[in-house]
Amino acid sequence: MSSRRSQRDAARVVREQLARERRRRRTVWVSAAAVAVLVIAGLIGWGVWSSQRSDSFTTPPGANAPGTGIVTGGGPVTVDVYEDFLCPVCNQFEQSSGATLEQLASENKAKVVYHPVAYLNRFSTTEYSTRSSAASGCAAVGGKFREYAKALFAKQPPEGSAGLSDDELVDIGVGVGLDRGSFGGCVKEGTYKTWTEHVTEEASRSDVTGTPTILVNGQPLADRTPQGLTAAVAAAGK
């Protein structure tokens, strides 16, 4: 009798151990499945978010194919100009070599691509870099991108300030011949802020770390004087 009871007890212990093992396995599989579902959901969510970020920007007229800059001219040499309208050194480059860029473009010696990035928002209390870049996109709609860009540099606010107000940005546009109604609406609605984000993100991905950055056929321009710029374009075109 004692032997049979011992056998039954031993069998019960084995059954309980097996049951516990089955429960443990079920828990492991359920946890693994839950983790897999979360990972898949996360990847899907990231993919949707990523695709929306890359595709949900409005490109102004005159932009290049990837939508990263406004193109002037059509020469065999490409000059990329990365500039921030709050950047004092960009202003200096515009004053010294801006006319040379325009001449190279008008003579079809160079295709000049202007990339108005928003790197210096931290030096403005109102994200002026973003607002001014987006406003330049609005100016491109009216065919006045370069005229407006030059006017922005001429009225450049100091770093650390609030920057120009939207009303002032509109007034500058009207001053270069843009329509107050359509241009003003575009500026105040922030139509091209998503474009500015795209231009800035793509510049960063291309290892552009500061402004101004000038590339001639992809090579950094060392001498930013009019003579240096002209010589670099001539050399690249040979």
Side-chain angles (χ1 to χ4, degrees), residues 62-73 75-84 90 93 97 101 104-105 109-117 145-146 199 202-203 206-208 210-224 229 232-233 236:
N64 57 3
T68 59
I70 302 297
V71 179
T72 63
V77 177
T78 299
V79 179
D80 291 287
V81 180
Y82 293 87
E83 57 189 3
D84 189 309
C90 297
F93 176 76
S97 300
L101 282 173
L104 290 168
K109 293 179 179 178
K111 177 178 74 174
V112 184
V113 185
Y114 295 93
H115 308 265
V117 297
F145 174 83
R146 277 297 293 151
V199 173
E202 290 303 311
S206 299
D207 296 325
V208 174
T211 55
T213 292
I214 317 300
L215 305 177
V216 178
N217 276 357
Q219 298 302 310
L221 177 67
D223 182 356
R224 296 175 181 169
L229 176 59
V233 169

Side-chain angles (χ1 to χ4, degrees), residues 94-128:
E94 172 61 39
Q95 302 313 317
S96 67
S97 300
T100 303
L101 282 173
E102 291 180 342
Q103 182 177 354
L104 290 168
S106 66
E107 294 175 352
N108 283 326
K109 293 179 179 178
K111 177 178 74 174
V112 184
V113 185
Y114 295 93
H115 308 265
V117 297
Y119 278 7
L120 301 181
N121 274 330
R122 66 188 182 281
F123 293 114
S124 164
T125 58
T126 63
E127 295 192 335
Y128 177 73

Side-chain angles (χ1 to χ4, degrees), residues 19 36 43 51 62 88 132 138 146-147 153 155 164 180 184 187 200 211:
L43 290 172
S51 65
S132 56
C138 296
R146 277 297 293 151
E147 293 87 342
F153 279 124
K155 296 181 180 295
L164 303 176
R180 182 176 295 276
V187 171
T200 304
T211 55

